[in-house]
Amino acid sequence: MSDDYPSLLRSEQMSLVRLYVPTEVAHDTVAELGELGDVQFKDLNPNVNPFQRSFVGEIRRIDEMSRRVRFFATQIEQEKDVVPIRPLYDSAPVITVGPRAPQTMDELDVTLAAHEQRLTQMNESYQKLSERTKELIEARHVLRETAVFFDKAQDHQTDIRTSFDDSAAPLLQHDDRENQYSAGAGAQFDLEFVAGTIERVRVPTFERVLWRVLRGNLYMNHTDIAEPFVDPVTGVETRKNVFIIFAHGDALLAKIRKVAESMGATLYPIDANADKRSESFREVEGRLEDLQNVLYNTGASRRTELITIGENLRSWQDVVRKEKLIYETLNLFKYDAGQKTLTAEGWVPTRDITMIQLALRHAAEESGTSVAAVLDELRTQKTPPTFNRTNKFTEGFQTIMDSYGVACYQEVNPGLFAVITFPFLFAVMFGDIGHGFIIFTAALYMILAERKLARADLGEISGQFFYGRYIILLMGLFSMYTGLMYNDIFSKSLHIWHSAWDFPSNGTDTKVTGIDNGHRYPFGLDPGWHGADNNLVFVNSYKMKMSVVLGVIHMTFALCLQLPNHLKFKRSIDVWANFIPQMIFLQSIFGYLVICILYKWSIDWSTASTQPPSLLNMLISMFLSPGKVDPSEQLYAGQPFVQVLLLLLAAICVPWLLITKPYIAWKEMHKIQEQGYVSIRGDGDGNGVHRDSSDEALEGEEEGNGQAMVEAADDSENEHHDFGEVVIHQIIHTIEFCLGCISHTASYLRLWALSLAHAQLSEVLWSMTLESWLEPTGVFGWIMLIVMGVFWFVLTVFILCIMEGLSAFLHALRLHWVEANSKHFEGGGLAFTPLTFANPDLKE
Amino acid sequence: MEALLFNVDGGFLEGTVRGYKAGILTQSHYANLTQCESLEDFRTQLSATDYGNFLANEPLPISTATIADKATQILVDQFKYLRNNAVEPLSKFLDYVTYAYMIDNVILLITGTLHERDTHELIERCHPLGIFESMPALCVASNVEELYQSVLVETPLAPYFRDCLSASDLDDLNIEIIRNTVYKAYLEDFYAYCGSLGGPTADVMQRILSFEADRRTINLTINSFNTELSKEERANLFPAIGRLFPEGNNQLAKADEIDQVRLVCENVGEYRQFFADAGVSSANGPGDEDSSVLSRLEDRFFQMEVHLNKMAFLQQFQYGVFFAYMKLKEQEIRNITWIAECIAQNAKDRIQDFIPIF
């Protein structure tokens, strides 16, 4: 347990440090530390409102800048043709540290504002132009549709004229006044009308309202406009209809117009005269063409602007994000106006203190001042955050464990062991050389193309696979190994060495009995079993026992991990009151079972005097009728005595586990009370640390930082251990452990079940698809072979490798989280979350 | 019985609305908000609440109107979510909630048209929950008959307007009368509907609606002093529900001054405090006494309303929470608008005059 070399066994040793940062280098220091990503700052002003903090002005400015950048991003996104955005790693970095930093930020601010102004202006004019274009297009539609209508009406002209003769005169009179809406020019028919466009969804309401307002005195006609109108700013499509309403009388027309306008319709002056109509149609066409030219130009220059923005967008986003983080961090610092320094507290890995000090000095040099920030290490009672230093290989495994729970500070980290146990337990369920090879190559590809893939945006699902590429690699490797053990390759078996079984063919008889020829298959399952009638019986019994053996070994190992924890945290009580009885309990029942399994395997039952006993029955009768073993099923001499002894041992362990710890706690409490103390804060180890820390506080004060230690000691979480709590906790713990031993052992049988299911599924797949086409006859046979071969391979990858793989993965996960972790893992830690500029969702 | 079956249809939405309710600003939020120096501080402070970043994309100087609009928009979105997920009878209940907004919008449009305002401007000012599709056509009508025949007949408000078809011309007084008649009809109908739902919904909602009716009655009485409105007409506008109904309403119909109103209110325990310290201030001379009593009365009404709506959340398996949430949230929007307005106009001395909810 040396502290010199980082190991995954225990989380990194952390130190609480205090930084004194001169105001002028504060920004650069935080920037430097953010790049380093190794310091977790604490909020020193928890009682201060967010807007009363020191750097709220800067944050507000950054917020405004980020609003502008967001505005650009949405504008670029909404553009129909894709605007290229230069990725961050290609863009020139904007340097925001050093003496020129304020200027750079000012310039950036100005640039952003200018771009925003230009863009809004262009948007406005673009919108205005498109609005006009839209109107013209609508006018064109109205003209065209009404023309169709009038042409049709031409045929009935005479009828209409006769029926409306009476009203012709008054209409003519006001025609002068309202020339544009109505037409009574003699040659045509005489009826007033209103024409325009309206949104399609409103047509029915419009019709209904008009009908009621005019009491049915109208004739309305409407047609759909085929193409939708797209709003240039929001990109929303609206569909419109052309309508034309004929009505009679001034007041009615005014009403129609009012209703139409209030319903959001646009009215267009249409002449009833065909010549005038075609004239205005030409005019509209001409104006439309001009407008579209202008619109195109405006659109093009807007696009140019967007492209310019797109070149810098990513780096702007990056700068704005970083600056915001920096100022938010600075707001956590305590600001001392008199001394012109900021005080910060935070957790750092002890190992990295020198590196951080270097960074501090570097930041001071960068910013051109001679005063660097000063770093002080504090001693404290507070529990530091848990920080497991990972690399790209161990990261995946550690994440698996962290998603169950973050280990306590310096607790034994199950992530380390998961590197091997996880792929192994997976492979036990997934044992097949062929499938293992497929996922191995897939993982190998991802690892070899790592650099390329890391940059590309993989999407959520394939990104997850990429993240776990090293896990998949090991899983594939281990699956190939267990595949060799099971002698399974795509449900077939390999025949490498000499089999132990001969199958003499005796002519007509379809049933052949294997004869032991004295060879022993040196590695894995004898291929002679493949295809045998009793294959399943044999393999089942073998795999079932194997899973129990593996399970008990795994649980024992997990239980043993308690020991280093107890020793590390100096809890010798827990060794005697928890670890030892638990170990005895587990071993006396399930350890014994494992030994029996191994012993039973080692006996040649074909020559033995007794029948092979059923171990399951043995275990049950060990509980139900202790001391009695049927001589015909006896495994070894003296079995009844041994079993009674083990049973007694296990029975003793339960009260031992239940009572010892509460009793010791009670005695401890009693002792303290007899001495006249009221406090129950006597854990033994706590006091020592406390004394140390107060010494350290004195030293700190000597160095001249007044309120240093007092508060650090003050708000440390004093966990109040009640006697009743200890009792209840221990009762729960005992029940959980004793019942857990039984159910968890049974739970490991999933290893058997899943590996069986996997083998059977792959066999079914083989026999249903490929097997019957293996000896092709003629062209059709060859084609079917190829088709079926592809079919088989696709199903193998998707069903057997991915789907079955995921299911085996989940079961392996459960075995680690529930069965193993429950034996030792406390998991009450807080993860170390350093200030870092590395952006997890950079590739948005 | 409700406990058995309520959650089949209403459980999810009740849970949702209770979750929304948990986001209503509390005293400490208000304490922080009132300390703000500028509207930007205000925005920062609000972003720490359930409002989140609702103002983040607004360009700087923010106006109080924008804040109110955006806050209302959030409420409207929440309501629409609830409405879209609701099934009978909750959907009907939620529809009833929107009718009040529809009435307000109709009156707003009629009044606006009467004063020859631009229709589009009016429509923008309408409450988004009370918009119905044929609403814009309201501006065509010149009398109630026409109004009813052309537009309202197909809306759910039609039955409420049936009673006031007699009023012929549209002028300011008539519109007021129409508004109150319609609202009276609406309240009575809603009251009856809640009664038909039965169970705790009826208990909770009828309590809230009774108060609403009494509030209207009292307001009507006080506002109709010294106006053309005859006492008979006044009596016709009183909703026939509420705790003052019937004898209180009868007395109010005959009342001529505030003291009489106070006497009526003293008969109901909860209402006694409305005029509690009116007697103290009456010593200061009769001139501004009335207005100060009235403004205090208004505040007390709001407090009472908030109190009743808060009480609605104490009971489970009933629809009152939906109504109460809407009302509380509206009060909250009024509060933050008030605070924002005080900040914008630098009137810090009046910033505390909002009605805290939790």
Side-chain angles (χ1 to χ4, degrees), chain B residues 23-75:
Chain B
I24 287 180
L25 302 183
T26 60
Q27 281 285 14
S28 65
H29 286 132
Y30 283 121
N32 284 338
L33 286 176
T34 48
Q35 285 170 28
C36 291
E37 292 294 327
S38 67
L39 286 184
E40 285 169 50
D41 284 345
F42 192 74
R43 174 169 78 172
T44 322
Q45 199 58 254
L46 272 183
S47 67
T49 67
D50 258 26
Y51 281 101
N53 287 327
F54 77 122
L55 292 171
N57 281 338
E58 294 303 316
L60 271 187
I62 312 167
S63 70
T64 47
T66 328
I67 295 178
D69 280 353
K70 288 278 172 182
T72 313
Q73 192 52 47
I74 289 179
L75 177 61

Side-chain angles (χ1 to χ4, degrees), chain A residues 49-52 56 60 63-64 67 70 201-202 205 208-209 212-213 215 255 258-259 261-264, chain B residues 32 35-36 40-41 45 56-60 119-120 133-134 136-137 139-140 146 149-151 153-154:
Chain A
N49 272 331
F51 62 89
Q52 285 169 341
V56 71
R60 205 165 285 150
D63 272 346
E64 183 64 16
R67 185 191 62 77
R70 270 203 306 276
V201 284
R202 294 208 169 165
T205 329
R208 237 177 14 247
V209 169
R212 278 201 300 267
V213 169
R215 298 196 173 77
K255 252 184 193 168
K258 207 166 171 193
V259 170
E261 267 164 10
S262 64
M263 299 280 286
Chain B
N32 284 338
Q35 285 170 28
C36 291
E40 285 169 50
D41 284 345
Q45 199 58 254
N57 281 338
E58 294 303 316
L60 271 187
T119 318
H120 293 282
E133 52 179 6
S134 55
C139 55
V140 188
E146 208 175 347
Q149 290 300 344
S150 61
V151 183
V153 68
E154 65 169 12

Side-chain angles (χ1 to χ4, degrees), chain A residues 584-600:
Chain A
I584 294 176
F585 185 85
L586 180 67
Q587 296 312 330
S588 62
I589 298 173
F590 297 102
Y592 172 65
L593 179 67
V594 168
I595 288 171
C596 287
I597 290 173
L598 296 178
Y599 179 68
K600 190 181 164 190

Side-chain angles (χ1 to χ4, degrees), chain A residues 458-470:
Chain A
L458 291 172
E460 198 176 351
I461 292 174
S462 32
Q464 295 235 324
F465 282 109
F466 178 68
Y467 186 75
R469 60 197 180 279
Y470 287 99

Side-chain angles (χ1 to χ4, degrees), chain B residues 81-132:
Chain B
Y81 178 78
L82 295 174
R83 175 65 188 85
N84 290 342
N85 283 293
V87 291
E88 281 292 335
L90 178 56
S91 53
K92 182 89 185 284
F93 180 87
L94 291 178
D95 283 342
Y96 264 106
V97 176
T98 61
Y99 295 165
Y101 300 104
M102 281 162 76
I103 296 174
D104 285 346
N105 283 352
V106 169
I107 302 293
L108 176 76
L109 272 179
I110 303 174
T111 326
T113 319
L114 191 68
H115 294 283
E116 288 175 354
R117 295 271 176 73
D118 182 34
T119 318
H120 293 282
E121 191 189 309
L122 287 173
I123 289 175
E124 267 167 35
R125 282 177 50 202
C126 284
H127 197 284
L129 281 183
I131 285 180
F132 51 99

Side-chain angles (χ1 to χ4, degrees), chain A residues 33-236:
Chain A
L33 291 178
E35 295 291 352
L36 200 63
D38 225 2
V39 188
Q40 177 182 344
F41 288 105
K42 282 197 334 191
D43 189 356
L44 295 184
N45 321 309
N47 301 324
V48 183
N49 272 331
F51 62 89
Q52 285 169 341
R53 301 200 171 200
S54 327
F55 293 92
V56 71
E58 280 84 349
I59 287 190
R60 205 165 285 150
R61 182 172 152 199
I62 305 284
D63 272 346
E64 183 64 16
M65 283 162 78
S66 72
R67 185 191 62 77
R68 288 191 176 121
V69 173
R70 270 203 306 276
F71 170 67
F72 298 150
T74 44
Q75 285 290 320
I76 286 180
E77 239 169 64
Q78 272 169 7
E79 187 71 8
K80 267 190 281 328
D81 307 318
V82 180
V83 174
I85 298 178
R86 191 156 54 166
L88 185 60
Y89 53 84
D90 270 354
S91 332
V94 180
I95 297 176
T96 51
V97 291
R100 275 191 48 78
Q103 280 109 301
T104 322
M105 285 313 280
D106 286 344
E107 275 164 26
L108 185 59
D109 203 358
V110 171
T111 325
L112 291 182
H115 275 300
E116 190 200 18
Q117 202 193 349
R118 268 210 296 277
L119 200 58
T120 3
Q121 225 165 37
M122 281 182 200
N123 274 352
E124 255 168 41
S125 57
Y126 188 78
Q127 198 181 345
K128 223 178 275 170
L129 285 171
S130 354
E131 205 68 35
R132 298 244 316 266
T133 325
K134 201 175 89 185
E135 268 170 29
L136 283 178
I137 293 175
E138 279 178 15
R140 192 176 64 184
H141 277 291
V142 173
L143 281 166
R144 199 182 287 155
E145 299 302 334
T146 45
V148 172
F149 180 78
F150 279 117
D151 287 345
K152 243 190 274 172
Q154 207 83 33
D155 305 337
H156 312 287
Q157 205 196 62
T158 40
D159 303 348
I160 295 167
R161 232 191 341 194
T162 47
S163 61
F164 282 97
D165 252 353
D166 298 355
S167 56
L171 281 179
L172 271 172
Q173 280 168 6
H174 89 251
D175 181 33
D176 301 327
R177 263 198 340 267
E178 277 199 43
N179 198 0
Q180 45 183 27
Y181 296 110
S182 60
Q188 304 290 325
F189 55 86
D190 320 309
L191 197 53
E192 296 157 79
F193 62 89
V194 176
T197 57
I198 190 167
E199 268 178 54
R200 193 164 302 166
V201 284
R202 294 208 169 165
V203 170
T205 329
F206 184 52
E207 248 179 317
R208 237 177 14 247
V209 169
L210 278 179
W211 190 83
R212 278 201 300 267
V213 169
L214 308 182
R215 298 196 173 77
N217 290 323
L218 81 160
Y219 176 72
M220 179 170 173
N221 198 16
H222 61 88
T223 38
D224 299 351
I225 298 176
E227 64 264 31
F229 293 92
V230 182
D231 191 290
V233 181
T234 56
V236 180

Side-chain angles (χ1 to χ4, degrees), chain B residues 223-235:
Chain B
N223 290 336
S224 63
F225 292 153
N226 306 325
T227 56
E228 303 165 25
L229 198 70
S230 73
K231 285 184 179 163
E232 246 166 68
E233 278 175 314
R234 189 206 293 172

Side-chain angles (χ1 to χ4, degrees), chain A residues 562 566 571-581 661 730:
Chain A
Q562 272 192 8
H566 295 330
R571 295 182 299 214
S572 50
I573 297 177
D574 279 321
V575 177
W576 299 110
N578 266 336
F579 173 66
I580 291 180
K661 204 179 167 186
Q730 197 61 23

